[in-house]
Amino acid sequence: MEDGRVKTDVIVVGGGPAGLMAAHRLAQEGLEVILMERGAYAGSKNVSGLLYATVLSEAIPDFEQRAPLERPVTRRSFGFLDDEVFSYLTFGSRDWASPPFNRTWVVYRAHFDRWLAKEVEEAGATVLEETVVDDLLYDGEGENRRVIGVRIRGEEEPFFADTVILAEGALGIVTRKALETLGGMSQTPQVYGIGVKEIWGLPSGVIEDRFHLESGQGAALEWIGSPFKGLVGGGFLYTGKESLALGFIAKVDSLIAAGIAPYDLMESIKAHPEIGRYLAGGELLEYSAHILPEGGLRALPKLSHHGLLIVGDAAGFVNASFYHEGANLAMASGRMAAEAVIQAKLIGDFSRGALSLYERMLSNSFVMEDLRHFRRVPEAQKVFPRLMDVLPARFCRLLVDLYQQSTEPKRVQQREAFRKMMEGIPKLRTIKDLWKLKGMIG
Amino acid sequence: MSSQSKDKQGPPPSLYLPLEEKLYRVRYEIDSDHAHIRVDPEVCGQCREKVCTFICPARVYTQDPEDSNLVQVHYENCLECGTCRVACTRGGVIWSYPNGGQGVKYRFG
């Protein structure tokens, strides 16, 4: 504090995985950090899928003993659904059922993020809840314009900092304004998916019976096919301790084009017997929704500026391939932003040049490596409507037809089953589409 | 608009929940002094598609019963998911964060 101004080393805007991990690392190194979270508590605005915890386990090696985790994922299934027929590919490993549980966890973010915020406070950072950052504070003009703090709603005086880390999540209101002011908007506009989820309460024993789980183990199911009506998207079901999280992710544009309301889709996927059966006897505990950035590599903005770094969903760090990984990338980006700020502090230089260490670290890490590897996901998603209405159905039907009992010779039955599978499929276009779809798997 | 009518079978009655029932399970701190969403009537008046009236998962935006060209906002149901901001490409939705601690307050998330 100098001449009455409130000044700190670092202000982190947003208490999700990216911001919390950044603040945690900075506080560990003894920097003065204030994290500002607009919700009543960290996680109160957040909606999760699975948590891949490889980065978390580096930051907090004993998190498994202390974090509020629901279940580790010990079994995974990919399901192809049609109205009448279905098929599943289920897999797992005995390794996954013992520590470190393949570092794949079902978590509820309102519990998990809140716990992580406590860890961050214990590491020495200040977490200000119910604090809305409306804008950044700038100094200088043009190329030399730099971020020197934040404006907080309801506070006349701004908060000053050497560096601001923007971790405000997918909504990115402050981030957008900052990029408009500083330049560095992505050349390709960001595109978004919407995730909608319901949490259903069920007794632990029922969940374990229904999903073939040993005590404390967990399952993750993902589906594509007819319940998703040719949208660019699919469904998921994850097991909590005494609850199930059922939902879907679909491209916002594809829902608009199809004229489908998210709550109607939610109801109609539950109407599929292969989905609804898992919820039977349960009780709805919560309904939630959130957008997620799916544009990948080409939609990333400029990440380092004078006095400013952008991390997590605000930057667009989501691997939207079939791995669908977001929180782990967010945590990695938060930690690397912190490392860059720690180095900048050592030399007393918070310019874009010094802070761009963040981008170099990212570039050499799995975060950018994965985004580069999956850079064709947006193109792959474009063929979804054509393929996903047909392929899962045909695949299921083929299996069912091959096992349909009859007095026909098997040779005839097999030929007929394969003929039906290919019937009416434009071969050349489908081969081209499949080639594009390959972008989803790298 | 509704996808349900196309389905061969409705959801089992115990699983089916109208939106009102879903929103009833969501915890909110409702800020009666501050509406964090506005719409620009000039923009809405020119907009035929009114995508906001079906794309919002909490049906925050409904057609004004008095004037079907306009849109009413039920900001107190907002899940702060961001979909309307992506969907309304005309800039008709003016959305700011609710005040600190207000708005949706997930218990699970």
Side-chain angles (χ1 to χ4, degrees):
Chain A
M1 209 173 301
E2 38 191 274
D3 51 44
R5 306 196 320 182
V6 182
K7 177 158 186 270
T8 182
D9 289 331
V10 190
I11 291 171
V12 178
V13 180
L20 289 167
M21 274 290 113
H24 187 259
R25 182 81 193 98
L26 289 162
Q28 278 182 328
E29 288 295 310
L31 274 75
E32 198 180 25
V33 191
I34 302 179
L35 183 144
M36 299 173 182
E37 161 58 42
R38 67 187 183 88
Y41 45 84
S44 59
K45 311 284 186 185
N46 299 348
V47 181
S48 61
L50 292 178
L51 176 68
Y52 298 107
T54 53
V55 176
L56 178 65
S57 69
E58 286 170 13
I60 305 176
D62 62 344
F63 79 95
E64 285 157 18
Q65 280 83 57
R66 296 191 287 126
L69 306 166
E70 291 291 319
R71 290 172 186 267
V73 173
T74 58
R75 294 173 72 92
R76 301 195 71 134
S77 298
F78 291 123
F80 300 99
L81 301 180
D82 196 36
D83 291 348
E84 310 286 330
V85 288
F86 62 90
S87 72
Y88 279 95
L89 176 66
T90 299
F91 54 99
S93 158
R94 262 160 75 174
D95 262 6
W96 294 4
S98 57
F101 301 103
N102 194 33
R103 307 223 190 280
T104 306
W105 292 90
V106 180
V107 297
Y108 292 135
R109 296 279 300 279
H111 305 161
F112 179 83
D113 291 7
R114 202 175 189 178
W115 166 80
L116 194 52
K118 291 274 179 297
E119 294 285 311
V120 168
E121 280 184 319
E122 274 164 35
T126 303
V127 176
L128 295 181
E129 290 158 343
E130 307 192 353
T131 304
V132 183
V133 171
D134 273 323
D135 213 343
L136 302 183
L137 197 64
Y138 303 94
D139 187 38
E141 289 301 321
E143 266 295 289
N144 294 321
R145 182 172 286 173
R146 64 193 179 103
V147 175
I148 56 168
V150 301
R151 292 198 180 280
I152 294 169
R153 190 177 301 176
E155 299 279 334
E156 274 185 28
E157 294 300 317
F159 267 56
F160 294 89
D162 288 329
T163 314
V164 174
I165 296 179
L166 273 179
E168 66 166 336
L171 270 60
I173 293 175
V174 181
T175 307
R176 174 172 284 269
K177 279 196 257 184
L179 290 167
E180 280 165 4
T181 307
L182 297 165
M185 212 74 110
S186 63
Q187 284 164 350
T188 310
Q190 186 56 271
V191 287
Y192 293 90
I194 174 178
V196 179
K197 190 167 94 172
E198 288 184 358
I199 295 174
W200 284 70
L202 274 173
S204 176
V206 172
I207 292 173
E208 285 163 4
D209 280 353
R210 235 169 242 189
F211 292 87
H212 316 292
L213 300 168
E214 305 296 319
S215 174
Q217 299 184 351
L221 279 66
E222 272 141 26
W223 298 285
I224 50 173
S226 67
F228 307 99
K229 301 179 188 296
L231 296 164
V232 181
F236 61 83
L237 197 164
Y238 305 135
T239 54
K241 275 184 184 146
E242 296 188 299
S243 57
L244 301 176
L246 171 75
F248 65 87
I249 294 177
K251 273 295 226 350
V252 175
D253 286 353
S254 69
L255 280 163
I256 291 173
I260 294 174
Y263 37 84
D264 285 341
L265 184 64
M266 194 72 220
E267 291 314 302
S268 74
I269 67 174
K270 284 188 290 186
H272 194 290
E274 271 305 305
I275 296 179
R277 60 188 307 201
Y278 292 111
L279 303 182
E283 174 202 7
L284 181 71
L285 301 178
E286 190 170 78
Y287 172 69
S288 56
H290 215 284
I291 54 165
L292 60 158
E294 293 194 328
L297 185 70
R298 279 171 235 150
L300 293 182
K302 182 100 184 83
L303 301 167
S304 48
H305 305 262
H306 297 309
L308 176 72
L309 294 172
I310 306 171
V311 299
D313 272 8
F317 290 129
V318 170
N319 175 351
S321 71
F322 79 106
Y323 286 108
H324 245 287
E325 185 173 354
N328 200 33
L329 275 62
M331 288 184 174
S333 70
R335 282 191 44 97
M336 284 183 262
E339 290 304 333
V341 174
I342 291 162
Q343 294 306 314
K345 172 84 177 168
L346 286 176
I347 55 172
D349 177 0
F350 305 97
S351 68
R352 183 171 57 213
L355 290 175
S356 66
L357 171 62
Y358 169 51
E359 288 181 60
R360 293 197 296 282
M361 290 175 73
L362 275 171
S363 191
N364 293 324
S365 74
F366 77 95
V367 175
M368 292 303 287
E369 185 70 28
D370 285 354
L371 291 186
R372 286 191 291 261
H373 185 60
F374 293 110
R375 67 190 175 281
R376 294 194 184 89
V377 163
E379 284 81 4
Q381 288 184 331
K382 288 200 178 105
V383 303
F384 251 65
R386 282 208 292 271
L387 292 182
M388 290 309 156
D389 234 12
V390 179
L391 288 189
R394 295 295 177 96
F395 179 66
C396 298
R397 181 53 77 182
L398 173 71
L399 294 177
V400 170
D401 285 350
L402 288 175
Y403 279 83
Q404 190 66 48
Q405 296 309 304
S406 78
T407 51
E408 294 241 41
K410 291 287 186 283
R411 179 181 56 83
V412 176
Q413 192 182 355
Q414 286 174 342
R415 197 178 56 202
E416 185 59 11
F418 280 101
R419 189 193 62 75
K420 266 169 69 186
M421 183 178 75
M422 298 308 294
E423 194 175 52
I425 292 183
K427 286 200 187 61
L428 193 61
R429 197 183 72 187
T430 303
I431 289 167
K432 282 185 185 163
D433 283 352
L434 283 170
W435 183 251
K436 284 188 188 152
L437 187 70
K438 197 179 145 287
M440 291 301 287
I441 52 174
Chain B
M1 197 68 64
S2 166
S3 52
Q4 235 156 269
S5 50
K6 283 182 255 164
D7 289 330
K8 281 179 217 156
Q9 69 228 347
S14 59
L15 295 181
Y16 177 78
L17 288 165
L19 182 62
E20 295 66 34
E21 276 292 311
K22 294 178 197 287
L23 295 178
Y24 183 69
R25 318 295 167 103
V26 181
R27 191 168 61 176
Y28 296 97
E29 293 293 328
I30 294 170
D31 192 344
S32 42
D33 301 331
H34 175 70
H36 70 284
I37 313 171
R38 288 186 297 120
V39 288
D40 183 339
E42 300 243 339
V43 177
C44 301
Q46 303 285 317
C47 174
R48 283 198 192 168
E49 302 83 12
K50 295 205 178 11
V51 161
C52 60
T53 59
F54 74 89
I55 202 66
C56 168
R59 210 190 282 139
V60 163
Y61 306 90
T62 55
Q63 227 167 43
D64 191 327
E66 312 264 296
D67 180 349
S68 63
N69 279 321
L70 297 180
V71 168
Q72 281 186 331
V73 181
H74 311 274
Y75 75 92
E76 65 282 0
N77 289 339
C78 178
L79 298 169
E80 298 164 47
C81 71
T83 308
C84 57
R85 288 166 46 80
V86 175
C88 179
T89 50
R90 299 162 180 262
V93 173
I94 301 145
W95 200 104
S96 60
Y97 290 128
N99 284 331
Q102 305 294 308
V104 71
K105 199 162 142 188
Y106 286 127
R107 290 168 299 127
F108 296 89

